[in-house]
Structures are given as structure tokens and as C-alpha cells.
């Protein structure tokens, strides 16, 4: 081990080969950390981090965090971002989703305690379920069906928050909880079913845009660089209670489909499909707390972000664009 390796801050990022995880790897490499990426590659893809493999301050561990996690050497920080995150993923692999939120979080909290590391866990706006309070503030306790199809994700993340606070209170562990609202950007899987890659893939393949329900449900989309900046500020803060990070610029899904049509200049039709069960009717983060304690606000407008992601999807090889079938999980 060289002297420089010893002096760099060391961070473990789980879910490193996923959308958020891979951007976090890039960010911390840029900040000159030693980054240890971990992923079981169920929904992640090594091509998201292959550009880091030759760097001396990056290493990758192919590991499932629901089993005991061992990392040699010291650790200063842990970011737990391993989890299926798209509704069709967690409906297809519900048990894995529950396990990574519950058992995975437990293992990583244990590792953080052992190493004396600060840990930040990736929670979600889904802890608010189909919210009856709008916009959602951190003190709202949510409206989640524990036995509904989305319960496997929502309750795993709610358990994640509970066990994280228990380690904080009982063991004095330094913990941070970010509640992530719909985030989009390059490296989302075109076929992961979420609305941004779904609409963009449809436009690029010349297909109709599928709006679920009547499209009156709302979401608020945050660009990846804003999300990463918010996560970094939270990690470096001394704030242990959950913090919403998202962009409060709300849109209905129908308006969003029309915006995609307008920005892409296509004349493909919008078609309506059944609304999935328990699909939240409205979602918009109240980010007053993040503004106050982190001095953070999102910077990238939706229009700007959409153009960037379109450019990314356009740059993908044709076979990837046409690979519509949802991937089979191992
Ligand atoms: N949606 C849609 N068409 C699609 C995919 C999604 O209308 O092809 C809707 C979905 O029903 C939801 C919203 O877009 O109301 C956002 O869905 P997504 O799966 O991206 O994430 P969610 O916010 O529901 O977790």
C-alpha cells in the first residue's frame, strides 16, 4: 500500500454498478477518495463503472450485501445504495428487495460500527406511500400499504430507516438518511420500466408513449448531479434525521409525456394504459429542511436535464435501444 493510498479517505459504496451508485463512485473518485464499489449485479451493470477499473484509487467487490460484508482495511464512510429501485424490478424480485433493505442494511450498520465509519443510507419518497400530505415534509409518517405490491420496497426502506436510527441512538453510530425523490440521468436502464427511460426509449424507437392511468398523477424529477450534490452535503453534515432530496418542480405524467414529445420533436401518439396498483397519485418534496440544514437546492431545470438524458440514450448502441424485453434476473 502506497503512502497516498493510506492518506486518502476510504468510502464503501454499495450498489456501485447501479444508476445512483455509479455516479456516486465518479463523484468520490473526483474528490480523490479511495472508492470501494460493491454490487451483486442483479440490477446493476459493470459497464456503468468499467471506466474506473484502471484507477489505483478504485476497487470493485462482486458481493451480495445480504450476506456478511467484509472489507479489509479502514473505512471512513459507507453509502448504502444497493437495492432494486424501479417498480417493475421490485415486483419481479420482491424477496431480494426486502432482504437488501433489511438484512443488507443490518450488515452494513454492523460494518460501520466495526470500522468506526459514518454511514449514509438511501431511503426514498416511497416511505410516504400514496401521500395524504402534499408536498411531503420529513415529519409526515406516510400512507403505505404493508401488504400491497409496492410494500416490499416501501417497508424495506422504512425498516432501513428504523434500524439506522436504532444504531444511531443505541450504539452512537454516525448515521445519515436521505429520502430520494424521483431522480433521472444517464445510466438509467432503458428497460427498467421507470417513466423517464420508458418515454425516451419509446420516442427513440418510434413507438407510442404509454401513459398509465389518465396521467393526472404527479411526480417531481431531480437531475442526477443535483441529487449527488445533495447526498454529499448530507453526508458531510451533522444532521442524523431523514432529509428529503429532490426537485420540487412538479408535473403530471401526462404533461411530462407532452414535454418529452415537444423536446424531442416527435409526433408519436400518447396512449393510455392501466394505472399500476398503489401507484401514488401525487409526489413532491418539501425541501425546506435541505435548504436550511444543508444549504442545498437543485440547479438543473427539467428541460435541461431531459436534453442531457436524451443525448445519452441516443449515444447507446442500437441493439441496446431495441432490447425491449425486461432482463431476466439470475
Ligand atoms: N408511468 C407511465 N408510463 C410508463 C411508466 C411509468 O405513465 O411507461 C407512470 C407511473 O404509473 C407513475 C409515474 O409514471 O405514475 C412514475 O413512475 P416510475 O415507475 O418512474 O416511478 P415511481 O415514481 O412510480 O416510483
Amino acid at each position: 500500500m502506497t503512502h497516498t493510498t493510506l492518506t486518502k479517505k476510504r468510502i464503501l459504496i454499495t450498489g456501485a454498478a447501479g444508476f445512483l451508485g455509479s455516479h456516486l463512485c465518479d463523484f468520490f473518485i473526483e474528490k480523490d477518495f479511495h472508492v470501494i464499489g460493491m454490487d451483486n449485479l442483479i440490477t446493476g451493470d459493470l459497464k456503468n463503472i468499467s471506466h474506473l477499473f484502471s484507477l489505483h484509487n478504485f476497487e470493485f467487490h462482486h458481493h451480495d450485501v445480504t450476506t456478511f460484508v467484509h472489507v479489509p482495511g479502514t473505512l471512513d464512510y459507507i453509502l448504502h445504495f444497493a437495492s432494486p429501485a424501479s417498480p417493475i424490478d421490485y415486483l419481479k424480485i420482491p424477496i431480494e428487495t426486502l432482504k437488501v433493505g433489511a438484512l443488507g442494511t443490518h450488515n452494513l450498520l454492523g460494518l460501520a460500527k466495526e470500522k468506526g465509519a459514518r454511514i449514509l443510507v438511501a431511503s426514498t419518497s416511497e416511505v410516504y406511500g400514496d401521500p395524504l400530505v402534499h408536498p411531503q415534509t420529513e415529519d409526515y409518517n406516510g400512507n403505505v400499504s404493508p401488504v400491497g405490491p409496492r410494500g416490499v420496497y416501501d417497508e424495506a426502506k422504512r425498516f432501513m430507516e428504523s434500524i439506522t436510527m436504532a444504531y444511531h441512538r443505541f450504539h452512537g453510530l454516525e448515521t445519515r438518511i436521505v429520502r430520494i425523490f424521483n431522480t433521472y440521468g444517464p445510466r438509467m436502464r432503458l428497460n427498467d420500466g421507470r417513466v423517464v427511460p420508458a418515454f425516451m426509449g419509446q420516442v427513440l424507437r418510434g413507438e407510442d408513449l404509454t401513459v398509465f392511468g389518465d396521467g393526472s398523477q404527479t411526480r417531481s424529477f431531480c437531475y442526477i448531479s443535483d441529487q449527488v450534490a445533495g447526498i454529499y452535503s448530507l453526508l458531510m453534515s451533522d444532521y442524523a434525521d431523514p432529509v428529503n432530496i429532490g426537485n420540487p418542480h412538479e408535473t403530471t405524467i401526462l404533461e411530462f409525456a407532452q414535454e418529452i414529445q415537444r423536446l424531442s420533436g416527435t409526433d408519436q401518439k400518447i396512449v393510455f394504459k392501466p394505472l399500476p396498483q398503489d401507484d401514488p397519485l401525487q409526489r413532491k418534496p418539501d425541501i425546506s429542511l435541505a435548504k436550511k440544514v444543508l444549504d442545498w437546492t437543485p440547479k438543473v431545470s427539467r428541460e435541461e436535464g431531459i436534453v442531457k438524458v436524451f443525448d445519452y440514450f441516443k449515444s447507446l448502441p442500437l441493439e441496446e435501444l431495441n432490447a425491449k424485453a425486461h432482463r431476466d434476473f439470475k
Side-chain angles (χ1 to χ4, degrees):
M1 207 181 268
T2 63
H3 179 65
T4 47
T5 313
L6 282 172
T7 54
K8 282 187 200 303
K9 292 280 183 205
R10 290 167 56 87
I11 187 165
L12 169 68
I13 302 179
T14 75
F19 163 53
L20 287 170
S22 66
H23 285 282
L24 287 163
C25 288
D26 286 346
F27 182 89
F28 283 96
I29 288 285
E30 194 65 29
K31 288 229 171 282
D32 206 26
F33 279 58
H34 183 88
V35 175
I36 301 158
M38 189 172 279
D39 206 299
N40 67 355
L41 303 177
I42 289 191
T43 57
D45 195 325
L46 281 184
K47 78 172 169 13
N48 290 334
I49 46 171
S50 55
H51 58 286
L52 302 175
F53 286 169
S54 60
L55 302 179
H56 67 281
N57 57 331
F58 181 77
E59 55 187 281
F60 179 71
H61 295 225
H62 185 186
H63 181 71
D64 178 347
V65 297
T66 66
T67 64
F68 186 82
V69 183
H70 172 68
V71 175
T74 60
L75 276 181
D76 300 290
Y77 301 101
I78 297 175
L79 300 182
H80 181 28
F81 278 69
S83 178
S86 138
I88 61 167
D89 282 353
Y90 52 77
L91 296 184
K92 194 153 186 173
I93 43 173
I95 315 289
E96 287 85 345
T97 303
L98 280 157
K99 282 172 71 178
V100 74
L103 308 181
T105 304
H106 186 210
N107 287 334
L108 291 159
L109 288 164
L111 181 68
K113 181 163 153 276
E114 171 68 25
K115 302 279 187 186
R118 180 180 296 178
I119 179 167
L120 180 147
V121 297
S123 187
T124 165
S125 54
E126 285 278 331
V127 299
Y128 303 119
D130 192 4
L132 305 175
V133 165
H134 195 73
Q136 291 79 57
T137 45
E138 287 84 351
D139 58 5
Y140 175 50
N141 288 329
N143 175 34
V144 172
S145 164
V147 293
R150 295 170 88 110
V152 296
Y153 184 65
D154 303 5
E155 296 294 5
K157 293 292 191 180
R158 289 168 68 97
F159 176 85
M160 167 192 260
E161 291 197 5
S162 302
I163 192 170
T164 298
M165 288 313 289
Y167 266 74
H168 175 65
R169 294 192 183 113
F170 188 73
H171 290 304
L173 196 67
E174 284 195 42
T175 58
R176 306 288 179 265
I177 300 173
V178 58
R179 289 188 180 151
I180 297 170
F181 282 67
N182 294 69
T183 298
Y184 68 103
R187 302 188 193 147
M188 291 186 94
R189 283 194 347 253
L190 257 177
N191 60 359
D192 88 350
R194 284 187 282 186
V195 71
V196 172
F199 285 171
M200 291 191 180
Q202 286 161 348
V203 164
L204 294 174
R205 290 189 300 265
E207 298 167 358
D208 296 338
L209 276 69
T210 53
V211 167
F212 297 165
D214 62 5
S216 62
Q217 72 273 29
T218 69
R219 294 295 186 273
S220 310
F221 297 102
C222 182
Y223 191 67
I224 181 68
S225 55
D226 284 332
Q227 185 60 244
V228 167
I231 290 165
Y232 179 68
S233 302
L234 177 59
L235 180 67
M236 295 303 159
S237 78
D238 55 10
Y239 197 80
D241 286 327
V243 180
N244 291 339
I245 298 287
N247 189 321
H249 187 195
E250 188 181 12
T251 174
T252 70
I253 293 301
L254 181 57
E255 283 163 357
F256 185 59
Q258 291 160 344
E259 191 175 4
I260 297 273
Q261 280 180 319
R262 181 171 57 77
L263 291 174
S264 62
T266 58
D267 51 6
Q268 282 139 245
K269 288 202 308 290
I270 290 175
V271 294
F272 295 90
K273 301 270 179 186
L275 189 67
Q277 190 186 333
D278 289 346
D279 197 289
L281 285 181
Q282 51 182 3
R283 183 181 291 155
K284 167 182 171 165
D286 183 316
I287 57 166
S288 319
L289 185 65
K291 281 183 187 160
K292 189 169 134 218
V293 298
L294 309 179
D295 192 24
W296 171 89
T297 48
K299 306 270 183 289
V300 181
S301 72
R302 198 166 58 231
E303 179 159 341
E304 207 183 322
I306 288 174
V307 171
K308 284 180 202 242
V309 186
F310 251 126
D311 287 345
Y312 165 76
F313 283 135
K314 275 189 223 156
S315 73
L316 293 179
L318 213 57
E319 58 277 12
E320 208 167 315
L321 183 62
N322 290 326
K324 276 170 61 185
H326 188 59
R327 96 166 44 185
D328 286 328
F329 294 106
K330 285 154 258 181

